Amino acid sequence: MLNTTMRHPRVLCSLAIIRDRSEFNPRSAIRSTAIFTVTRSRSTGARFSIDHRAFDRNAARADILSGLATRIPLEATLIARASRTPQHYQRQSFTAAGPLPPADLQLLQRERPDLDVLPLECANSAIEEIAAAYRIERAGPGSNILSRSRKAPEEAQCLWAAFLWSQCSTHERTSLASAWEAWRAIERARPLTF
């Protein structure tokens, strides 16, 4: 990953959407979402939060995405993994002479034009390296939908760490990563609520 000097946005939300099938499969359903929000302030430093939701198979995509849109702060920068369109979906769309259905991020952008949406292309190997470096437990290859849904917050944090390492200066990366590690330690120390 290349090191650039982009400044970390004041409010950045890293979004993980867990589906039971590919996004472009008509039978696909969103089963879990996680929004990891990083808010920077000169007076208070960095603040972190997680919004994690799970859905049954019958939950409507429009309702889920509308709910996401209401929970993302105003004028935030939103990052998420870019949807990879399988070749056979592109061929079917071309032969049917129609466009592909809109991706989740496109629908969110329509509903929230104030957001700066940045779809990130991240290789799985890069995400795995980041997870190992920060000791983030992710759902392993071939994990069932329940395991993947439970680990959505970790996926969102891995994506943010990938953004941090590939887009931000060394100084910002160091200070934000240190603050995040401290926040994670506090979160792990919290007692369970049940």
Side-chain angles (χ1 to χ4, degrees):
M1 290 185 207
L2 297 174
N3 183 17
T4 65
T5 58
M6 178 181 178
R7 296 229 4 113
H8 190 283
R10 189 183 66 75
V11 179
L12 184 136
C13 296
S14 177
L15 174 63
I17 297 177
I18 307 301
R19 292 176 159 276
D20 56 9
R21 291 180 176 83
S22 164
E23 180 176 357
F24 296 102
N25 185 320
R27 296 174 39 114
S28 178
I30 296 173
R31 302 305 299 274
S32 180
T33 62
I35 305 169
F36 175 63
T37 303
V38 180
T39 306
R40 296 182 60 217
S41 165
R42 287 187 180 176
S43 59
T44 60
R47 289 179 315 194
F48 305 91
S49 65
I50 287 280
D51 179 294
H52 182 207
R53 310 281 168 107
F55 307 96
D56 67 21
R57 188 151 198 1
N58 299 320
R61 177 188 189 200
D63 293 339
I64 294 168
L65 294 177
S66 180
L68 278 172
T70 61
R71 293 190 306 275
I72 297 171
L74 287 174
E75 299 181 0
T77 298
L78 177 69
I79 61 172
R81 284 185 89 165
S83 301
R84 293 182 182 221
T85 310
Q87 284 295 96
H88 65 281
Y89 287 118
Q90 291 176 347
R91 280 194 300 273
Q92 287 172 350
S93 176
F94 182 73
T95 57
L100 285 171
D104 295 333
L105 289 181
Q106 290 172 312
L107 294 173
L108 279 170
Q109 182 74 75
R110 281 184 200 166
E111 192 161 338
R112 290 285 309 276
D114 64 298
L115 298 176
D116 186 11
V117 178
L118 300 174
L120 300 181
E121 291 195 22
C122 290
N124 285 332
S125 59
I127 295 293
E128 288 168 6
E129 278 185 42
I130 289 166
Y134 285 107
R135 295 177 312 279
I136 299 172
E137 291 183 33
R138 298 175 64 229
S143 294
N144 64 27
I145 191 65
L146 183 59
S147 296
R148 290 178 32 234
S149 293
R150 284 183 180 156
K151 294 295 183 178
E154 285 77 5
E155 288 299 313
Q157 290 177 69
C158 279
L159 185 63
W160 173 75
F163 173 84
L164 189 65
W165 277 90
S166 66
Q167 303 297 318
C168 297
S169 69
T170 304
H171 173 71
E172 274 193 315
R173 187 170 55 232
T174 301
S175 65
L176 286 170
S178 297
W180 173 53
E181 288 282 17
W183 175 81
R184 288 177 61 212
I186 292 168
E187 288 297 301
R188 283 192 298 267
R190 288 186 195 281
L192 295 175
T193 58
F194 57 91

